[in-house]
Amino acid sequence: AKHVYGIDNADITHYAREIVKVNGLQDQITIIKGKVEEVDLPVEHVDIIISEWMGYFLVFESMMDTVLFARDKWLVKGGAILPDTCTMHIAAIEDEQYKNKKLNFWNNVYGINMSCLSKAAFVEPIVDSINYDTIASTEDIFFKVDLYTVTKEELEFSNYYEIKMLRDDRIHGIVTWFDITFGNLPNEVKFSTGPYEEYTHWKQTVFYLNGHYSMKKGDVLKGSIACRKSKDNFRACDIKVSYHHCSKERDFETLNKQVVQYKLR
């Protein structure tokens, strides 16, 4: 690179400047402390924007907004954003043991009956690593992002999904994860935060259903996932999940319908 500009609003910038200095790179790297939306660069355009902006459920913390601001302000026409595309995935899981452990925990908290909190415990999705063998359905992509074209408004979405059972099982929730692509390179690079891949600190995001559903191989679970920034805290997410259980044995008659609202804080 002819020159690199690193921007961060945290005090780590002081150490970054020292690292640049002791390695004799002051003429090639400039570290700037501040918010991307507020700082000035000594150049009009940049050729590449690199940022690790991804949060839980991909959009948690709304850091992609900052990348889009930098894109619209500084990226040269034909420039690169890394990473540049993302997909969000969904599947159904059997997870009775963990769900019951979380639900029953409130019945006896060091001798105190706090069972009234059981329902509230499922308002927040669980960010955790799940075993891939708990996945009982096909997976579907319910959200795609192209950082070259997406707008901030499009990061609030309501999209449909449809997944099919791979075996007879009881379904306790749905699990979501995201994949990332660095596509504008001579050799494309990808990584996944899914349950079939190596552990990442993003893990997966699990939404437990109200109750459970006994489903047969070939049955369909379909519905929609809607996500928007919380009105109380723009870094947080309000998520609404609808699901319909449709039975293959009953000509896909809708057996169960439900809509659950979650808060990712």
Side-chain angles (χ1 to χ4, degrees):
K2 182 179 180 180
H3 204 97
V4 175
Y5 299 96
I7 306 173
D8 203 308
N9 197 36
D11 289 339
I12 193 68
T13 53
H14 302 309
Y15 294 97
R17 287 169 181 159
E18 185 64 21
I19 293 170
V20 169
K21 182 178 179 180
V22 298
N23 286 276
L25 296 171
Q26 304 96 308
D27 294 336
Q28 287 182 268
I29 302 175
T30 300
I31 305 296
I32 301 170
K33 185 178 188 302
K35 296 180 179 180
V36 168
E37 293 84 353
E38 297 175 357
V39 303
D40 293 318
L41 293 183
V43 293
E44 185 176 356
H45 298 294
V46 298
D47 301 299
I48 304 171
I49 294 175
I50 305 173
S51 177
E52 189 283 279
W53 52 265
M54 297 82 72
Y56 300 131
F57 195 66
L58 186 67
V59 295
F60 179 60
E61 294 186 327
S62 299
M63 291 303 297
M64 199 192 310
D65 294 6
T66 297
V67 180
L68 302 187
F69 180 92
R71 175 199 69 186
D72 296 340
K73 185 174 182 179
W74 290 309
L75 188 64
V76 71
K77 185 177 181 180
I81 304 175
L82 301 174
D84 54 3
T85 58
C86 323
T87 53
M88 298 184 72
H89 303 247
I90 184 173
I93 60 170
E94 182 284 319
D95 200 20
E96 183 174 19
Q97 184 176 3
Y98 187 84
K99 183 179 180 181
N100 286 341
K101 180 180 178 181
K102 183 173 175 62
L103 185 66
N104 294 331
F105 167 80
W106 298 104
N107 294 338
N108 186 341
V109 184
Y110 301 104
I112 305 298
N113 185 341
M114 303 175 68
S115 57
C116 61
L117 290 174
S118 294
K119 292 183 178 180
F122 291 101
V123 171
E124 291 193 23
I126 306 298
V127 177
D128 204 353
S129 292
I130 67 166
N131 294 322
Y132 64 85
D133 55 2
T134 64
I135 294 180
S137 74
T138 60
E139 65 181 75
D140 194 11
I141 295 174
F142 65 89
F143 187 51
K144 297 181 180 179
V145 177
D146 182 340
L147 269 79
Y148 292 107
T149 59
V150 70
T151 65
K152 186 168 65 173
E153 291 72 23
E154 289 171 333
L155 300 181
E156 297 188 329
F157 59 87
S158 179
N159 295 331
Y160 290 98
Y161 69 89
E162 182 172 316
I163 49 183
K164 183 179 291 187
M165 290 294 292
L166 297 173
R167 61 177 186 255
D168 295 356
D169 213 334
R170 294 203 296 177
I171 296 305
H172 299 89
I174 57 173
V175 59
T176 65
W177 66 90
F178 61 87
D179 295 349
I180 296 294
T181 303
F182 298 76
N184 196 4
L185 296 170
N187 297 299
E188 186 178 82
V189 177
K190 296 182 178 181
F191 77 83
S192 174
T193 65
Y196 301 108
E197 307 297 334
E198 292 185 13
Y199 170 88
T200 72
H201 85 275
W202 292 281
K203 305 177 185 178
Q204 293 90 45
T205 305
V206 180
F207 300 84
Y208 284 112
L209 309 181
N210 287 337
H212 64 266
Y213 298 105
S214 295
M215 300 180 69
K216 298 290 187 180
K217 182 178 179 180
D219 281 4
V220 169
L221 194 69
K222 61 182 179 179
S224 64
I225 296 184
C227 179
R228 68 180 184 185
K229 295 182 179 68
S230 170
K231 294 181 179 179
D232 300 326
N233 175 10
F234 80 99
R235 296 292 186 192
C237 299
D238 291 336
I239 303 166
K240 182 184 292 185
V241 179
S242 72
Y243 47 92
H244 299 181
H245 168 202
C246 306
S247 172
K248 183 180 179 181
E249 294 179 350
R250 303 188 189 183
D251 295 326
F252 289 95
E253 172 191 359
T254 298
L255 300 178
N256 299 289
K257 292 183 179 181
Q258 204 155 63
V259 178
V260 185
Q261 297 190 50
Y262 304 87
K263 296 182 182 293
L264 186 56
R265 298 287 184 256

